[in-house]
Amino acid sequence: MSETETPLPTPEQARDSADCPLSQAARERARAVSGPFPASRRVYIQGSRADIRVAAREIAQAPTQTPDGARENLPLRVYDTGGPYTDPDAELEPARGIQAVRAPWLAERGAGAPTQLGYARAGIVTPEMEYVALREGLAPAYVRDEVARGRAVIPANVHHPEAEPMAIGRNLKVKVNANIGNSPLSSGIPEELEKLINAVRWGADTVMDLSTGEAIHETRAWLLRNSPVPLGTVPIYQALEKAGAPEDLTWELFRETLIEQAEQGVDYFTIHAGVRHEHVPLARERLTGIVSRGGSIMAKWCQHHQAESFLYEHFDEICEILARYDIAISLGDGLRPGCVADASDAAQLGELRTLGELTERAWARDVQVFIEGPGHVPMDQIEANMRLQSEACLEAPFYTLGPIVTDIAPGYDHITSAIGAAQIGWHGTAMLCYVTPKEHLGLPNADDVRTGIVTYKAAAHAADIAKGHPGARERDDALSRARYEFRWEDHFNLSLDPERARAYHDETLPREAHKEAAFCSMCGPRHCAMAISQEL
């Protein structure tokens, strides 16, 4: 932004102003992508104190008709990340933001309180830990112990009270992150807010704002005030916008940007402190070089100055800032492979060893840590990558982009990556970074976000089933019973995307009477295996 341009207002400034960057049409579009799911209602799990109320979604089911009469099917309760965007009673107004659910807990602690890791190490169960435990169906003490060991993190900046507590850990439900953000070529605040709402409504557990275009600060402010899930960033992107070129970056400029974003409420930072000067030559023989934006920026800085990375040199100071706000650090994989040919090479593994060292340095300052993992890995190397990370980084949670298992399907990389994501989730990865159909091709829009999230929720859920997570298969069994009994509405409503399931069915059998039919258009009335099976 030039010195002559007027910055856009933040939500706080826009509340009592007509200068809101969200036009009426944009506000209506944001509301249109939210809303309750069919046959669902919001319910609350009550905690040990009145202000710990964990939201969940309860899906009603129709009774089963049997020769002996109707048999009741109980409602199914599912984990819900949507905040007000799946609540039929919510009144949405972006300029006001959403409810600050953590505000009472933060007020009680006051300034200078320990981080979640500090509390856990002291044997204290915080309201955030209890909230997580109720969401996951676990004992609060178990969550506390996982956080204390560094095997789970609760990203929760003290300046983001709107975020409903969640945890990332290998012994918890596999989580999904959605990347959004503008670029110098596309998108603005209304579009990014629409992406945020789409992401959390369809199940994103966290969101990363990777904006590199205009109004980065203002865009992030609008997202934070309206996000019920933790929000992460890559601070070096904004620092680069200020500097103009990678070689002009300085520690002082990066530190200023870090504090700016911390004050706004960012819950976790991706910081590529593991890309060291000695690692840069290792990437020169690669087929696709360095594909991480943050990694390439730091590699260029190291090469230009012939010096060690200022992120590595000042890492302890970075941790002191993060501890002040209780911000988690996502140690970025700046040398991740960008094609299957480069997977598991010396550059990737050299950085991984450094990330293990940085993990211990962060833990020494009570900073919560998780580790980012590779983007392109063939299937035969997935389990080994998970094992190497766990050993090198002392079981700190792993967070992977995919991995994409083949490079030949642009336009379908949400599928090629979900294949790898389900497998690495099964082997222990704690959070999966979604990939949309636009990967490698362009900036995703709101519908691409929806497709990426639903695809990755399926991958994460498949991993939970494979790991034997308690209760993971309940939804599968409920949907399967509905399908076998031709309860079509329940079949749709129990699915990850009820709207699309219903639309596909209704393309060929649109009448309401067809919702009572014991067949679909694939088999027709005489060849349905399930109908024949029931006759048997």
Side-chain angles (χ1 to χ4, degrees):
M1 180 177 290
S2 70
E3 294 181 2
T4 59
E5 289 179 328
T6 303
L8 292 169
T10 64
E12 294 80 2
Q13 295 164 338
R15 282 173 187 156
D16 302 315
S17 167
D19 194 24
C20 178
L22 296 181
S23 67
Q24 186 60 33
R27 297 185 201 193
E28 290 175 359
R29 190 168 69 242
R31 292 188 185 102
V33 297
S34 65
F37 284 94
S40 292
R41 69 185 184 109
R42 170 156 282 217
V43 297
Y44 292 91
I45 307 165
Q46 185 59 54
S48 63
R49 46 188 280 178
D51 57 6
I52 300 179
R53 297 176 71 239
V54 181
R57 183 160 65 90
E58 198 169 77
I59 308 170
Q61 299 188 71
T64 298
Q65 300 303 322
T66 72
D68 300 323
R71 185 186 72 241
E72 182 183 10
N73 292 301
L74 297 176
L76 184 77
R77 185 173 293 177
V78 297
Y79 193 112
D80 182 35
T81 65
Y85 307 116
T86 56
D87 185 351
D89 300 319
E91 295 182 6
L92 302 178
E93 179 47 67
R96 287 202 305 267
I98 62 175
Q99 181 185 4
V101 295
R102 295 174 55 231
W105 316 337
L106 296 169
E108 287 176 5
R109 292 172 195 153
T115 65
Q116 292 294 317
L117 178 56
Y119 277 121
R121 285 173 163 174
I124 297 170
V125 174
T126 63
E128 286 88 349
M129 294 174 201
E130 182 180 346
Y131 196 106
V132 166
L134 292 170
R135 277 186 126 176
E136 300 266 352
L138 300 169
Y142 180 81
V143 174
R144 177 201 62 202
D145 293 346
E146 288 294 286
V147 172
R149 288 187 58 170
R151 286 201 305 213
V153 303
I154 301 176
N157 187 324
V158 296
H159 292 320
H160 187 196
E162 297 90 348
E164 298 174 356
M166 57 79 66
I168 303 163
R170 66 179 298 155
N171 294 323
L172 307 174
K173 290 180 184 293
V174 177
K175 304 304 191 299
V176 174
N177 171 70
N179 288 340
I180 62 174
N182 67 19
S183 79
L185 304 177
S186 180
S187 195
I189 290 174
E191 292 79 10
E192 293 310 311
L193 187 57
E194 185 180 1
K195 291 180 192 176
L196 167 74
I197 295 170
N198 243 358
V200 299
R201 181 173 188 260
W202 293 104
D205 297 284
T206 74
V207 169
M208 290 201 77
D209 174 20
L210 305 184
S211 292
T212 57
E214 297 181 352
I216 293 176
H217 180 95
E218 293 78 12
T219 299
R220 189 168 53 242
W222 282 89
L223 294 177
L224 280 163
R225 299 289 72 81
N226 289 280
S227 178
V229 302
L231 186 137
T233 66
V234 185
I236 204 161
Y237 293 173
Q238 187 180 12
L240 179 61
E241 291 297 312
K242 296 176 180 179
E247 54 269 27
D248 295 330
L249 284 164
T250 64
W251 159 243
E252 291 74 21
L253 181 60
F254 182 83
R255 183 180 183 277
E256 169 197 296
T257 305
L258 205 64
I259 293 173
E260 173 190 339
Q261 296 192 12
E263 286 286 336
Q264 279 188 290
V266 174
D267 298 289
Y268 65 93
F269 290 137
T270 290
I271 297 179
H272 298 88
V275 180
R276 301 188 60 184
H277 186 221
E278 66 188 52
H279 295 146
V280 177
L282 300 176
R284 288 186 181 140
E285 301 303 316
R286 283 179 158 185
L287 184 59
T288 54
I290 300 174
V291 298
S292 158
R293 285 192 294 200
S296 65
I297 291 166
M298 286 313 305
K300 187 172 183 181
W301 188 94
C302 292
Q303 185 71 12
H304 177 83
H305 293 280
Q306 288 298 299
E308 185 59 273
S309 159
F310 61 79
L311 297 178
Y312 180 83
E313 293 282 271
H314 292 275
F315 188 74
D316 294 340
E317 294 170 69
I318 290 172
C319 289
E320 289 169 6
I321 294 170
L322 303 191
R324 195 181 313 152
Y325 299 89
D326 199 0
I327 298 170
I329 187 169
S330 177
L331 289 172
D333 54 339
L335 298 175
R336 67 175 181 265
C339 62
V340 294
D342 295 338
S344 310
D345 68 351
Q348 177 193 336
L349 299 183
E351 180 187 27
L352 183 62
R353 286 188 287 272
T354 300
L355 298 187
E357 172 206 330
L358 297 175
T359 297
E360 293 189 277
R361 287 168 64 180
W363 281 346
R365 288 161 178 79
D366 281 349
V367 173
Q368 300 181 93
V369 181
F370 52 108
I371 313 296
E372 295 189 11
H376 293 244
V377 178
M379 287 194 294
D380 60 301
Q381 297 179 32
I382 286 176
E383 184 177 7
N385 268 260
M386 182 66 243
R387 186 174 63 252
L388 287 169
Q389 183 276 338
S390 185
E391 294 170 357
C393 300
L394 310 170
E395 295 189 294
F398 205 22
Y399 164 38
T400 60
L401 181 72
I404 296 170
V405 296
T406 178
D407 302 328
I408 64 169
Y412 298 89
D413 278 331
H414 59 303
I415 298 172
T416 61
S417 62
I419 294 168
Q423 292 187 55
I424 206 162
W426 171 31
H427 291 302
T429 284
M431 185 160 75
L432 308 170
C433 186
Y434 86 159
V435 172
T436 76
K438 291 277 181 62
E439 185 75 10
H440 303 114
L441 301 173
L443 188 71
N445 60 28
D447 193 59
D448 297 321
V449 168
R450 170 181 174 172
T451 300
I453 283 294
V454 176
T455 303
Y456 266 67
K457 291 301 287 186
H461 185 72
D464 285 339
I465 293 172
K467 291 195 305 181
H469 195 284
R473 221 185 65 193
E474 288 179 5
R475 191 170 181 177
D476 299 75
D477 293 349
L479 192 148
S480 296
R481 279 192 294 271
R483 188 174 65 200
Y484 184 68
E485 295 170 1
F486 299 105
R487 288 184 278 119
W488 285 106
E489 292 291 348
D490 290 349
H491 186 175
F492 307 147
N493 296 338
L494 290 163
S495 68
L496 289 173
D497 189 338
E499 295 169 10
R500 193 152 294 175
R502 180 177 284 101
Y504 283 171
H505 173 272
D506 289 358
E507 279 182 13
T508 49
L509 294 173
R511 297 177 185 173
E512 283 305 304
H514 292 144
K515 305 298 192 299
E516 307 295 329
F519 58 87
C520 70
S521 63
M522 176 175 282
C523 296
R526 293 197 302 162
H527 298 87
C528 177
M530 287 191 173
I532 294 170
S533 179
Q534 290 186 26
E535 292 173 7
L536 288 173

